[in-house]
Amino acid sequence: MNYDKLSKEVAYALRHYPREYELELDAQGWVSVDKLLESLRRSDKWSPFEIDDLKEMIETSEKKRYEIVDDKIRALYGHSIPMKIQKKEMKPPSTLYHGTSRRFLESIAKNGLVPKTRQYVHLSEDIHTAILVGKRRDADPIVLKINSEDAYKNGVKFYFAHEMIWLADAIPYDFISH
Ligand code: HQG
């Protein structure tokens, strides 16, 4: 099974278009694994398809995008659906990073970092991840350094996605350098 393709399809279902998959996410983004399996199996592409395929997809992925707990699964970040997924608000590490395209810099300097089509701004604990994120859009991306300690002290809210990825509401440019 092609786990990259499966992961993209699961992202559609759990981050962007749950209704197209006849799924309803709860407030933290969880759905029943059985319902997701049932929904994906409706497409010829993904049948036969078992929970072990989902587990294997999660375990072999370079990125920690999903988690399964008991009989439920959720995406840990990346949502774009209108209903805002509730994330755990937490004090962030003192510095975080955001990799992006150089062509966005002017607008970011003017407007700060904003979530765009997603629900939150995405940040990473390490520069390496930020470079990989930025490379999706620019061969020579720029890495912004976020003074999350000061931002947090000044009321910007941060949320935990997993050990390496943090989420935030909009971040004013005052707390950003590069
Ligand atoms: C930019 C993927 C102009 C922002 C990744 C980014 C990540 C602005 C783009 C995760 C701006 C939004 C999220 C402003 C922000 N003016 N541009 N004021 N503020 N931007 O994809 O952070 O593989 O929604 O810099 O690896 O790139 O799918 O966010 O370039 O972890 O699991 O607007 O998604 O993970 O782009 O990526 P995105 P992102 P997966």
Side-chain angles (χ1 to χ4, degrees), residues 15-37:
R15 290 174 172 175
H16 308 302
Y17 308 107
R19 278 172 139 205
E20 283 183 19
Y21 293 80
E22 291 173 43
L23 297 172
E24 208 171 314
L25 309 190
D26 78 4
Q28 283 80 37
W30 295 102
V31 294
S32 123
V33 171
D34 282 345
K35 285 205 171 129
L36 177 66
L37 291 174

Side-chain angles (χ1 to χ4, degrees), residues 7-8 11 15-16 61 63-66 77-79 98-101 103-124 129-130 132-134 136-137 142 144 162 165 167 171:
S7 183
K8 286 211 171 93
R15 290 174 172 175
H16 308 302
S61 172
K63 285 182 164 183
K64 189 173 167 183
R65 296 186 173 101
Y66 311 103
Y77 59 87
H79 300 86
H98 177 89
T100 189
S101 169
R103 67 181 186 280
F104 296 156
L105 195 55
E106 201 181 316
S107 167
I108 292 173
K110 209 182 331 163
N111 306 306
L113 274 174
V114 296
K116 293 278 173 176
T117 60
R118 300 192 201 256
Q119 298 183 351
Y120 299 93
V121 170
H122 287 60
L123 306 163
S124 62
T129 301
L132 292 181
V133 172
R136 287 155 52 240
R137 296 204 173 85
I142 189 158
L144 303 177
H162 63 69
I165 301 281
L167 307 174
I171 301 178

